[in-house]
Amino acid sequence: MSDTQPLLDVRDLRVDYDVAGAAAWRRRTLTVVKGVSFTIAPGETYGLVGESGSGKSTTGRAILRLADVSGGSVVFDGRDVAGLGRRTPLSYRRDVQAVYQDPVASLNPRHRVGKAVTDTLARHGLRGRDKQRFRAVEAFEQVGLTEAHLSRFPSEMSGGQLQRVAIARALVLRPRLVVCDEAVSALDLSTQSQILDLLTNLQAASGVSYLFITHDLGVVRHVSHRIGVLRQGELVEQGTTREIFEAPQHDYTKALLAASPAAHPAGREERRATRVARRAATAAAA
Ligand code: ADP
Ligand code: MG
């Protein structure tokens, strides 16, 4: 994968927030992402892991052009989008999609969930109700839902089904990168495994890349090709998933691993997750 040009090349990324200082009238600048660099190849999953508050979501938001970039570059497919602001082309907003922790927050409770998908298509210029409907059905089927689910309301669906809707909405535009920010963190263990398997299968079929943001080492291990460990806005270590888990170099990484039973090969949770994943795979194959 290293000999291909990266799809995303984040270099020395800095994000500052203006916050109220000790005296309320005096604003001061808080740097929450402090020169982060990493790349994501086409078809690759890069896991960004770190404790709460380490700057993971801010990094994702900067890439999604939802947080202002204070320094560095975000080069996507050879083009720096960091400084574009409102001039970010619509094609970038199509190519780079997001899936968040809470699908309910981004769905209108009074709308049938299919509308979230057809509206997305309409916003990106796909005209014609029949065409929109066709693409929505196709997207729902790709994520393991059926046409009948299009007319459900959010309140009529489980957490796992709603996350499938969120994935369908992200994928219906055929993006090249999806930022998954704690995308399975609110789900129970067996639903987590199903959604992670789904994302992996969709990647194998489409070649999409993922930036997989999570505080959960067990999750990141399950899906990532490479991993970056973020601490207080700085990447302290990067490596292949194997390197990070089997030969961590940085004390902080070692401490994170030691604190996470799920990440340990001998961990009970991991054995259970593997069992559940295997069962889900068998069920899906049947
Ligand atoms: P993570 O996703 O790793 O938990 P975040 O990127 O959400 O971390 O937050 C990193 C730091 O930036 C935290 O200290 C958080 O309080 C701060 N922060 C996040 N968003 C804002 C904002 N809009 N304004 C000011 N500070 C923020
Ligand atoms: Mg976060």
Side-chain angles (χ1 to χ4, degrees):
M1 243 178 258
S2 57
D3 54 344
T4 57
Q5 189 201 336
L7 177 66
L8 182 77
D9 189 345
V10 176
R11 228 171 265 181
D12 215 17
L13 176 69
R14 221 186 66 228
V15 180
D16 299 334
Y17 284 125
D18 274 338
V19 292
W25 48 270
R26 180 173 285 175
R27 311 289 297 176
R28 75 190 170 89
T29 301
L30 190 70
T31 303
V32 298
V33 178
K34 305 168 185 167
V36 163
S37 303
F38 62 92
T39 61
I40 307 181
E44 185 180 41
T45 299
Y46 187 89
L48 191 58
V49 71
E51 289 174 297
S52 173
S54 56
K56 303 183 298 295
S57 293
T58 302
T59 301
R61 288 171 56 77
I63 292 163
L64 288 160
R65 309 299 302 112
L66 299 171
D68 286 334
V69 172
S70 315
S73 59
V74 176
V75 177
F76 182 82
D77 199 19
R79 183 177 188 191
D80 189 1
V81 296
L84 292 179
R86 289 215 189 89
R87 289 174 293 122
T88 303
L90 192 63
S91 65
Y92 185 75
R93 304 215 176 269
R94 186 184 61 229
D95 281 339
V96 185
Q97 294 291 314
V99 177
Y100 298 104
Q101 176 166 355
D102 181 8
V104 178
S106 62
L107 290 168
N108 187 325
R110 292 186 305 274
H111 288 169
R112 301 177 191 277
V113 294
K115 185 169 159 53
V117 179
T118 51
D119 281 356
T120 299
L121 289 166
R123 220 173 21 253
H124 284 266
L126 185 78
R127 306 267 165 258
R129 289 198 168 255
D130 288 350
K131 277 192 210 154
Q132 291 170 4
R133 170 108 189 158
F134 182 84
R135 286 276 295 273
V137 171
E138 186 183 59
F140 265 45
E141 288 175 348
Q142 278 168 353
V143 300
L145 297 171
T146 65
E147 182 168 4
H149 287 109
L150 287 168
S151 50
R152 299 263 180 93
F153 290 98
S155 60
E156 298 169 335
M157 300 183 98
S158 69
Q161 287 175 328
L162 288 167
Q163 204 55 299
R164 287 174 195 266
V165 172
I167 294 166
R169 179 173 50 187
L171 287 174
V172 75
L173 295 167
R174 298 173 186 150
R176 299 167 70 191
L177 173 68
V178 180
V179 176
C180 301
D181 190 345
E182 305 283 5
V184 300
S185 301
L187 303 171
D188 64 71
L189 213 55
S190 76
T191 312
Q192 268 191 9
S193 296
Q194 289 168 18
I195 297 292
L196 294 177
D197 285 347
L198 171 66
L199 289 168
T200 304
N201 293 339
L202 290 167
Q203 181 175 62
S206 71
V208 70
S209 302
Y210 296 128
L211 172 59
F212 213 94
I213 294 174
T214 178
H215 70 281
D216 187 329
L217 282 159
V219 165
V220 92
R221 179 176 208 178
H222 199 96
V223 292
S224 307
H225 299 109
R226 285 185 306 128
I227 292 173
V229 181
L230 198 62
R231 181 183 63 169
Q232 294 175 12
E234 289 178 276
L235 270 185
V236 295
E237 183 166 358
Q238 299 194 63
T240 64
T241 301
R242 196 183 182 139
E243 285 165 353
I244 294 292
F245 280 89
E246 290 176 13
Q249 299 298 305
H250 198 285
D251 283 346
Y252 181 73
T253 310
K254 291 175 191 165
L256 270 186
L257 288 171
S260 168
H264 268 282
R268 222 181 95 244
E269 289 291 290
E270 164 132 334
R271 282 204 303 276
R272 183 177 132 67
T274 309
R275 253 193 340 265
V276 170
R278 223 179 273 136
R279 221 179 293 135
T282 313

